Amino acid sequence: MSWYRNTVWFVKGLREYTRGGYESASKRFNPADVEVDVAGRSFLVTGANSGIGKATAKEIARRGGTVHLVCRNKERAEVAKEEIVTETGNQNIFLHIVDLSNPKEIWKFAEKFQNEHKLNVLINNAGCMVNNRELTEDGLEKNFATNTLGTYIMTTALVPLLEKAADARVRQQVVLTEQWAKAHRNIHFSVMHPGWADTPAVRSSMPDFYERMKNSLRTEAQGADTVLWLAVSAGATKLPSGLFFQDRQPVPTHLPLAYTHSPPEDEEKLMEVLEEFSQKFKSASLGI
């Protein structure tokens, strides 16, 4: 019975994450939520040269925001920046080349950024799905280095800058979001699932899944919709900090019967380990 119920929830969840799920959910959206002018506000988007990151950056640029694109590949990033400027007419688009699997590089970038810019919204979009075990030059597993430690360091390093801003916001991973929401009451943290969208990451990292689902996948703009809503709408910050969103609504962080809950002590240990790694690489990068 539990296997059957889990399968039902999986299929239901999969359907909600597709283009059809988005089209159904969007019927209750209020267009005015994202029809806002964000001129004068500064947004940093990681992994912004393609996919959901670029779609998010483009929509923020259309609304007048200053957008900082943080990307690893210089060539692709420059093409993305030019596309965003051309399509939106917004010249306040800045490019920063940073490898988010390299913690020392992130620290150096963040220290420099704090001295030169202001920041209202941090959108941690960058991630990787490396299927084979791969180590970075620091001996870290590539997925962990990029998706978890890199995200942790980027946010930790920029929290002091965000604390100075009005209506500061961060999009983050689930456990980190919940923990930071408790620790930093002046910043609104949130995390979201974009659904299954037709992005370069899905095509390259999940080729079999992509072939089966390609006619049902969301567009990049549909995948980015909730990111945009969390970043610019007034309604998002009326909800508590630390929630997990899907299609502009808070949803449970765990599927029923999925048994994916972790005890508080494990979550606290994760934060301790990440902080130890973070400080180690901070010292190495800044010569402390």
Side-chain angles (χ1 to χ4, degrees):
M1 178 62 74
S2 62
W3 173 86
Y4 170 75
R5 291 170 70 183
N6 274 328
T7 302
V8 169
W9 275 103
F10 174 77
V11 172
K12 180 176 180 286
L14 189 62
R15 185 169 62 246
E16 288 177 351
Y17 289 160
T18 63
R19 186 188 310 142
Y22 174 84
E23 291 169 349
S24 176
S26 66
K27 293 174 183 176
R28 59 172 167 73
F29 292 174
N30 180 2
D33 282 354
V34 293
E35 290 173 0
V36 295
D37 184 349
V38 292
R41 286 177 64 77
S42 177
F43 301 76
L44 188 155
V45 186
T46 66
N49 66 302
S50 66
I52 289 170
K54 185 172 77 172
T56 302
K58 192 178 294 183
E59 291 304 317
I60 292 170
R62 289 191 206 281
R63 290 157 176 78
T66 296
V67 185
H68 295 273
L69 314 176
V70 175
C71 308
R72 181 176 59 84
N73 185 289
K74 190 172 187 294
E75 277 186 19
R76 291 202 296 266
E78 287 175 342
V79 170
K81 176 187 173 181
E82 184 61 31
E83 180 183 324
I84 292 169
V85 171
T86 301
E87 290 191 19
T88 68
N90 187 337
Q91 299 294 321
N92 294 317
I93 312 299
F94 300 92
L95 180 58
H96 310 273
I97 305 303
V98 184
D99 182 352
L100 290 173
S101 71
N102 186 324
K104 294 189 289 293
E105 201 171 304
I106 300 170
W107 271 115
K108 288 177 182 176
F109 159 75
E111 290 296 313
K112 187 172 187 291
F113 188 90
Q114 287 191 79
N115 293 328
E116 298 176 355
H117 304 283
K118 71 169 190 173
L119 183 62
N120 297 95
V121 181
L122 169 61
I123 300 174
N124 288 304
N125 165 78
C128 65
M129 292 185 284
V130 179
N131 295 322
N132 298 316
R133 181 173 171 79
E134 184 179 329
L135 299 181
T136 68
E137 63 181 39
D138 296 302
L140 301 169
E141 193 276 323
K142 188 72 172 285
N143 290 298
F144 166 77
T146 306
N147 303 337
T148 306
L149 182 60
T151 299
Y152 179 89
I153 293 175
M154 180 67 78
T155 307
T156 299
L158 294 177
V159 156
L161 190 59
L162 287 161
E163 291 275 13
K164 300 175 185 177
D167 188 18
R169 312 184 192 190
V170 179
R171 180 196 164 239
Q172 192 47 271
Q173 292 180 342
V174 177
V175 172
L176 301 185
T177 296
E178 293 170 343
Q179 295 298 316
W180 271 319
K182 297 173 188 175
H184 303 285
R185 302 292 184 179
N186 295 330
I187 302 174
H188 195 272
F189 289 84
S190 50
V191 63
M192 59 79 68
H193 195 301
W196 293 112
D198 189 349
T199 65
V202 170
R203 291 195 293 270
S204 63
S205 299
M206 306 171 69
D208 294 339
F209 173 83
Y210 175 75
E211 283 303 316
R212 289 197 303 271
M213 298 294 296
K214 61 183 178 183
N215 294 325
S216 301
L217 296 178
R218 299 181 177 201
T219 66
E220 292 175 346
Q222 289 172 343
D225 177 80
T226 298
V227 186
L228 178 69
W229 181 79
L230 289 168
V232 306
S233 75
T237 52
K238 292 178 182 176
L239 294 164
S241 180
L243 297 182
F244 177 49
F245 290 83
Q246 178 187 334
D247 291 331
R248 303 192 191 184
Q249 278 195 328
V251 295
T253 54
H254 303 275
L255 290 173
L257 307 177
Y259 306 108
T260 54
H261 294 268
S262 53
E265 55 269 25
D266 285 357
E267 296 182 0
E268 290 171 9
K269 181 62 178 177
L270 170 64
M271 299 301 282
E272 290 173 7
V273 170
L274 290 174
E275 181 62 16
E276 288 174 9
F277 271 120
S278 173
Q279 291 304 314
K280 168 188 171 184
F281 290 111
K282 180 180 182 180
S283 299
S285 67
L286 304 179
I288 298 173

